[in-house]
Amino acid sequence: MNLLTAMKVFDRVALLGSLTAAAEDMGMSTTAVSRYIKELEDDLGVRLINRTTRRLSLTEAGREYGTRARVLLDDLTELRDSTRGLHSDTRGLIRVSCSNVLGHTRITRLVPKFLEENPLAAIELHLTSRYVVGIVEEGFDVAIRFGEQNDSALIAKRLGEVRNYVCATPAYLNGRGRPKHPGELAGHSCVLSNFAKRLGTWPFQGPEGSFSAPVRGRVSTNHIEAAYQMTLAGFGIGNLPSLLVDKAIAAGELEVLLDEFQPDSSPIYALYPHRTYVAAKVRTFVDFLMRELSPDLIA
């Protein structure tokens, strides 16, 4: 058994959740992938994967092995690149995880420009509504996320921040009234989302400093775009990023509230693993984001 190849095969199976998908990704047959997994399990003396006719899942030993194998594989890639001198050349696949709203409104339009500037590079872009993604565990090179970051295993490069607006449709406000102070929001129907962890309270900056106002609503969502659509449909008051609402506000479809009490803005970070050697492709992509994305955000 080629242990390194077997580890790579297991890593892809664990990441993609399918023998067939891993086989396609690695240019192997499904039979070959299955054989590598079996040989690895035989060598370790433990079962790494539970297989049924409908689904595949990692055992406890498989999850532990997968996490540590990913670190070792990354270290080997860094060793190879630094020895070859590829740390000075931007090439290879960059796996990027990005929040849906940033992806749809900003990142997808920047990717073609990056690839045009770096013809030896390729991008695999994963859009998600999840607030937290295991960058190392899930095999990503870079993650682009809203909110403050405190994971010591990651380098966090601040790209800027996005202004948020408390807003609603004129029809809703004509029927329910316009709140003059954040303290009045509790008496309104608010569209709640876990965007920047804002479900039960909304943070504000006012004339007397920062404070949080309680909010209530009959609907909550883990998807900020869903919150935007429900606000736009007149269901209630939303606390939404400018990336989504600028056009609707300019068109008069949404009305901004509480101008005197600015909602907290949302910082945006590029995150990547904290390692001795950072691959050139990662450094170049993050530098590109700071150059192209940051001017489009609040400083």
Side-chain angles (χ1 to χ4, degrees):
M1 176 187 67
N2 184 315
L3 179 58
L4 180 57
T5 301
M7 289 175 65
K8 289 180 178 178
V9 168
F10 175 76
D11 178 66
R12 298 311 289 175
V13 171
L15 179 65
L16 299 174
S18 164
L19 297 177
T20 301
E24 293 176 354
D25 184 70
M26 300 188 73
M28 295 181 175
S29 67
T30 303
T31 301
V33 168
S34 182
R35 184 178 68 250
Y36 273 114
I37 297 298
K38 185 179 184 307
E39 289 176 352
L40 187 59
E41 290 178 329
D42 290 343
D43 181 64
L44 295 170
V46 296
R47 180 177 291 278
L48 300 174
I49 296 175
N50 289 320
R51 307 172 184 82
T52 66
T53 55
R54 293 189 175 183
R55 63 188 298 270
L56 177 153
S57 63
L58 300 183
T59 64
E60 182 179 356
R63 290 192 295 272
E64 174 67 18
Y65 185 84
T67 299
R68 299 183 68 178
R70 162 52 49 189
V71 173
L72 289 172
L73 291 170
D74 283 346
D75 286 343
L76 286 171
T77 298
E78 289 174 359
L79 175 61
R80 180 194 63 195
D81 288 354
S82 62
T83 303
R84 286 181 175 177
L86 295 183
H87 57 282
S88 61
D89 193 9
T90 303
R91 66 174 68 199
L93 178 65
I94 308 170
R95 300 190 70 250
V96 180
S97 173
C98 181
S99 70
N100 279 308
V101 62
L102 276 171
H104 290 310
T105 61
R106 293 296 188 273
I107 302 303
T108 50
R109 77 183 188 195
L110 293 177
V111 166
K113 183 175 183 179
F114 175 81
L115 295 177
E116 184 177 343
E117 292 181 4
N118 300 277
L120 299 180
I123 295 283
E124 186 177 308
L125 183 62
H126 293 249
L127 301 184
T128 177
S129 61
R130 286 187 293 160
Y131 189 77
V132 177
V133 169
I135 298 176
V136 174
E137 296 83 355
E138 298 183 42
F140 291 111
D141 296 299
V142 180
I144 308 168
R145 283 290 176 276
F146 285 103
E148 297 296 341
Q149 307 295 323
N150 54 15
D151 189 337
S152 61
L154 302 175
I155 297 174
K157 293 289 187 180
R158 193 175 186 277
L159 300 176
E161 58 187 63
V162 172
R163 182 176 179 180
N164 293 293
Y165 291 100
V166 173
C167 54
T169 62
Y172 171 86
L173 297 171
N174 289 337
R176 295 288 302 273
R178 289 165 171 77
K180 302 300 183 184
H181 188 279
E184 298 174 28
L185 291 171
H188 279 264
S189 172
C190 293
V191 180
L192 309 179
S193 80
N194 66 357
F195 173 69
K197 300 181 180 178
R198 293 170 182 166
L199 277 174
T201 59
W202 288 350
F204 288 90
Q205 298 292 329
E208 298 180 1
S210 60
F211 64 98
S212 292
V215 290
R216 298 174 183 172
R218 293 170 54 205
V219 63
S220 62
T221 176
N222 68 338
H223 201 300
I224 190 62
E225 288 182 295
Y228 165 65
Q229 291 297 337
M230 285 185 278
T231 303
L232 195 60
F235 187 81
I237 298 175
N239 184 357
L240 300 164
S242 58
L243 296 177
L244 284 177
V245 300
D246 275 345
K247 291 182 179 179
I249 292 171
E253 298 172 319
L254 291 174
E255 181 179 327
V256 177
L257 303 167
L258 306 172
D259 276 338
E260 189 179 357
F261 303 92
Q262 175 62 45
D264 276 6
S265 57
S266 300
I268 298 176
Y269 287 88
L271 310 169
Y272 53 96
H274 201 309
R275 299 191 176 280
T276 303
Y277 297 101
V278 177
K281 61 184 182 181
V282 173
R283 290 201 313 270
T284 302
F285 184 66
V286 172
D287 288 345
F288 171 84
L289 291 176
M290 295 185 73
R291 185 189 84 207
E292 296 291 334
L293 182 61
S294 294
D296 197 28
L297 305 173
I298 302 172

